[in-house]
Amino acid sequence: MKYIQADYSGPLHGKVHIPGAKNSTLALLAAACLADDIVTLEGIPQIDDIRLIEGISQDIGMQLKQEGGQVVLDPRWIHSAAIDPGKSSSYRASYYFAGALLAKFGRVTIGFPGGDDFVSRPIDQHIKVFQALGAKVQIFQDYFVVEGTELKGADIYFDTITSGATINAILAASRAKGRTVLHNAAVDPEVVDTAAFLNRLGARIYGAGTDRIRIEGVSYLNGGSHTVIPDRLIAGAFLMAAGLNGGQVTVEDVIPEHLGSCLAKLEEIGLQIECGENHITAYGTGSLRATRIRTGMYPGFATDLQQPMTALLLQAKGKSIITERVYPMRFAHVPQLRRLGAEIEIRKESAFIRGGLPLSGGWVHATDVRAGTCLLMAGLAAEGSTYITGIEHIERGYEDVIGTFRSIGAKVSIHDRPDMIVTEDRILS
């Protein structure tokens, strides 16, 4: 069993190159299925989810070649739209293959999405999209089937703001007949990136980045190339790391506008922020103030940043409150932080954090990507050594988490102990 060891590291200093956005990458790789010629994607991160997509691509006949951060896909030989439920259930964004393959094949079989478990990740809005475009959806125990021989444009009103369903609607409507208008659409940068990629191939998508998106269906999409946007969530976590012990961290190759709410909150609690055209520097002043945060859909404070933010607020004297409005049960990291001495109380969808108390190292378990980041950051601020299991979740979202944190002075290492047995009482409770 592999685990990460994190030791108290003092102030962190250095520069971090931010890779392409995981959440955008997963949409773009599926979107390539819509093309009728070769597609080249630049800046693709080398993470475990990409390897899962590579396996799915081989099964359905899409050639996928990786060379560094470049991925070349050839969708011309796709021969199947039946995706192995075991593979598709291994990560959340597998549902994009339904939207990307439906117009070409008329029938898609796919397992329910997996990935990080936040108790409830419903796909009801995705189903609503497919039905609005004229498809039928059949639900089975571990997979679902979407069938529609001819997709037709429609007006679609989302009941809630959802980035995943907005992207899936864009994919499915791009090759449907006629006009589709999405109302109450998500405005996330990943939505804009997916639309920009498809427009490069010849799609006609207007208004991405607003809550009303219009798609004029086309019958053919060319090949082409596109560079994925940088990962705003990884960038935000490293900026927070600067505040742990009064350090200074610069994230490079970023789009500062994508981090507006995060930067505002970091300044509010006492960090100094300096933005350039494609870089951001955070200066830790050594004194942090408690605050209140409510997560929300973009441009609100991202749910993916509340976990690393929790680690930072443990260093801020006073009581902080984080209210999780996107995934109200996303607090699996809290019992683990308590193992290190944190005082956090959960009431409904809010975490009440008593900051400024000393932390001590111990054994903890990561249950998802961002929880892993949170625990690693807490370990860097705790006395002694912290040992983090469940690192396969961290590797799903980071190319080289150890090397990147080491580059800014963090004392972290990865170990392999095949003789170690982890029990629920010891780690998970």
Side-chain angles (χ1 to χ4, degrees), residues 20 33 175 291 326 348 387:
C33 295
R175 295 190 63 152
T291 191
V326 180
K348 295 183 179 180
Y387 308 96

Side-chain angles (χ1 to χ4, degrees), residues 49-168:
D49 276 359
I50 308 305
R51 286 180 271 278
L52 292 171
I53 292 176
E54 188 173 11
I56 290 175
S57 297
Q58 290 175 349
D59 291 347
I60 65 176
M62 181 166 66
Q63 297 178 15
L64 187 156
K65 295 181 181 178
Q66 294 188 65
E67 297 178 3
Q70 183 183 82
V71 175
V72 180
L73 305 106
D74 189 346
R76 293 176 296 177
W77 313 111
I78 295 177
H79 54 73
S80 171
I83 296 174
D84 183 340
K87 292 179 180 178
S88 59
S89 65
S90 297
Y91 74 105
R92 173 183 58 83
S94 57
Y95 47 48
Y96 292 141
F97 280 96
L101 292 170
L102 184 59
K104 275 189 174 182
F105 286 87
R107 178 185 171 94
V108 181
T109 302
I110 189 168
F112 289 110
D116 301 330
D117 183 10
F118 305 136
V119 179
S120 177
R121 283 198 184 230
I123 61 168
D124 60 310
Q125 297 302 296
H126 299 257
I127 293 172
K128 179 176 183 173
V129 165
F130 299 137
Q131 291 175 335
L133 296 175
K136 294 181 180 179
V137 181
Q138 294 177 281
I139 304 295
F140 298 92
Q141 183 173 350
D142 59 350
Y143 69 97
F144 63 101
V145 177
V146 186
E147 188 169 9
T149 54
E150 184 178 80
L151 301 182
K152 294 182 179 180
D155 282 320
I156 301 173
Y157 294 83
F158 291 110
D159 300 313
T160 185
I161 301 173
T162 159
S163 175
T166 297
I167 290 175
N168 229 348

Side-chain angles (χ1 to χ4, degrees), residues 180-229:
T180 298
V181 181
L182 309 180
H183 302 268
N184 198 30
V187 300
D188 304 55
E190 294 77 14
V191 172
V192 178
D193 199 32
T194 304
F197 165 61
L198 291 172
N199 283 342
R200 283 177 180 267
L201 306 185
R204 299 171 62 192
I205 304 163
Y206 309 94
T210 74
D211 61 2
R212 183 181 183 275
I213 301 174
R214 176 167 57 90
I215 305 116
E216 304 285 349
V218 298
S219 59
Y220 181 90
L221 288 175
N222 302 303
S225 60
H226 180 77
T227 300
V228 64
I229 58 173

Side-chain angles (χ1 to χ4, degrees), residues 8 244 310-312 314-315 337-344 354 356-362 374-375 377-384 386:
Y8 178 82
L244 287 175
T310 300
L312 181 57
L314 289 174
Q315 307 302 310
L337 291 172
R338 289 177 183 148
R339 291 176 171 270
L340 306 180
E343 289 194 14
I344 306 175
R354 184 184 173 195
L357 302 177
L359 301 178
S360 299
C374 168
L375 297 174
M377 289 173 57
L380 298 178
E383 295 180 8
T386 299

